[in-house]
């Protein structure tokens, strides 16, 4: 794991910009800091997988810094490099979109970034899978084009652009668990970053879809919990869930593997109800 010192950290913003900027850790501390609650999702997350979590990130809005540098209109990719040489490419239009909340982050959950999460400085861009947005131990940023720069994972046949797909997951019951027959609360999470979740539906044993209750929304870039009360007959069951975003798009049933730009499909859990 890279071990960097805040006192000696530097990052150069260069390439297709009007003026180069070199930032120090103190430069970031002196700027207006914002705190945003954001869910991060790994593109390798299978349907129902664990590779998603949510945190409060503190940092500087990346769009503000890029506006100071002056981005060439012909630039469409932000190429970032970690201290260990890992490279990432992020679409310029996503970062510069109004309200994007993309951060150069220095804090997480009220403290400096933990080492494993990129201390002293990392990128966080809501709405994109981590491999195109979440460079940790950030040390270099170049404005370029997709035609001129191919980052680490794109060279390995993953997508250039990878927006997070609308998804839902069942956390209760667990796979192959045994639960009491009768009234039972099923629960899980759902996410549709940059858009927001409109509803989550659940069905048991291929029956009718039932609308679940949603938790209070923190913001459109965080997961949203759901729950539903079911009346379970004794025996084996299968429960499925699907989410619909605020654009009216429902996650597809079609099962697709994570490569090249994220998995799709309904999450399905087999379990048993009984005493």
């Amino acid at each position: 794991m890279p071990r960097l010192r805040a006192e000696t950290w530097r990052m150069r913003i260069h390439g297709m910009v009007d003026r180069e900027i070199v930032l120090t850790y103190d430069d970031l501390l002196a700027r207006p800091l914002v705190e945003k609650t954001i869910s991060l999702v790994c593109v390798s997350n299978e349907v129902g997988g664990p590779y998603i979590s949510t945190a409060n990130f503190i940092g500087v809005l990346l769009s503000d810094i890029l506006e100071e540098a002056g981005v060439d209109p012909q630039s469409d990719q932000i190429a970032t490099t970690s201290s260990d040489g890992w490279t990432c490419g992020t679409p310029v239009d996503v970062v510069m979109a109004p309200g994007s909340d993309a951060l150069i982050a220095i804090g997480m959950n009220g403290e400096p970034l933990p080492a494993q999460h990129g201390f002293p400085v990392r990128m966080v861009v809501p709405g994109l899978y981590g491999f195109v947005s979440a460079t940790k131990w950030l040390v270099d940023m170049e404005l370029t084009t997709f035609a001129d720069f191919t980052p680490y994972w794109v060279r390995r046949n993953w997508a250039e652009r990878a927006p997070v797909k609308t998804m839902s997951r069942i956390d209760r019951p667990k796979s192959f668990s045994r639960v009491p027959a009768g009234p039972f609360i099923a629960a899980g999470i759902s996410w549709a970053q940059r858009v927001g979740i409109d509803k989550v539906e659940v069905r048991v044993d291929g029956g009718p879809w039932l609308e679940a209750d949603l938790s209070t929304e923190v913001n459109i870039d965080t997961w949203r919990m759901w729950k539903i009360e079911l009346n379970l007959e004794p025996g084996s069951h299968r429960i499925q869930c699907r989410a619909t975003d605020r654009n009216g798009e429902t996650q597809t049933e079609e099962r697709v593997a994570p490569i090249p730009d994220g998995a799709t499909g309904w999450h399905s859990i087999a379990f048993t109800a009984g005493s």
Side-chain angles (χ1 to χ4, degrees), residues 89-241:
T90 306
V92 171
D93 58 352
V94 173
V95 170
M96 301 305 289
S100 79
D101 287 343
L103 298 177
I104 295 181
I106 61 173
M108 179 177 169
N109 295 334
E111 299 179 351
L113 287 170
Q116 66 267 35
H117 290 288
F119 182 86
V121 180
R122 68 169 296 163
M123 261 178 63
V124 179
V125 183
L128 299 176
Y129 288 113
F131 82 106
V132 295
S133 69
T135 305
K136 297 187 284 188
W137 312 292
L138 181 62
V139 294
D140 188 81
M141 181 176 293
E142 179 182 2
L143 275 295
T144 181
T145 66
F146 285 105
D148 291 335
F149 178 77
T150 306
Y152 181 90
W153 282 113
V154 176
R155 293 197 299 269
R156 289 155 176 81
N157 299 319
W158 291 75
E160 284 185 342
R161 298 171 179 263
V164 174
K165 295 177 178 176
T166 298
M167 187 63 67
S168 57
R169 185 182 79 189
I170 301 162
D171 292 319
R172 185 178 193 264
K174 298 295 186 184
S175 289
F176 307 113
S177 62
R178 190 175 187 88
V179 305
F184 176 80
I185 300 294
I189 58 173
S190 57
W191 58 94
Q193 287 191 312
R194 302 277 78 203
V195 179
I197 289 290
D198 183 58
K199 66 179 177 181
V200 172
E201 298 169 291
V202 175
R203 71 177 180 181
V204 179
D205 302 329
W209 288 103
L210 306 172
E211 190 164 344
D213 296 321
L214 296 175
S215 67
T216 301
E217 182 179 70
V218 176
N219 61 56
I220 60 174
D221 291 322
T222 62
W223 59 26
R224 194 169 184 185
M225 290 175 281
W226 59 264
K227 67 176 183 178
I228 188 169
E229 182 171 339
L230 304 171
N231 190 28
L232 299 175
E233 296 290 334
S236 298
H237 298 286
R238 181 171 295 277
I239 184 174
Q240 294 173 297
C241 67

Side-chain angles (χ1 to χ4, degrees), residues 11-28:
M11 183 181 74
R12 184 168 68 113
I13 301 174
H14 59 105
M16 299 173 69
V17 294
D18 295 337
R19 64 196 69 83
E20 289 192 6
I21 294 176
V22 177
L23 293 172
T24 67
Y25 196 77
D26 284 342
D27 290 335
L28 295 178

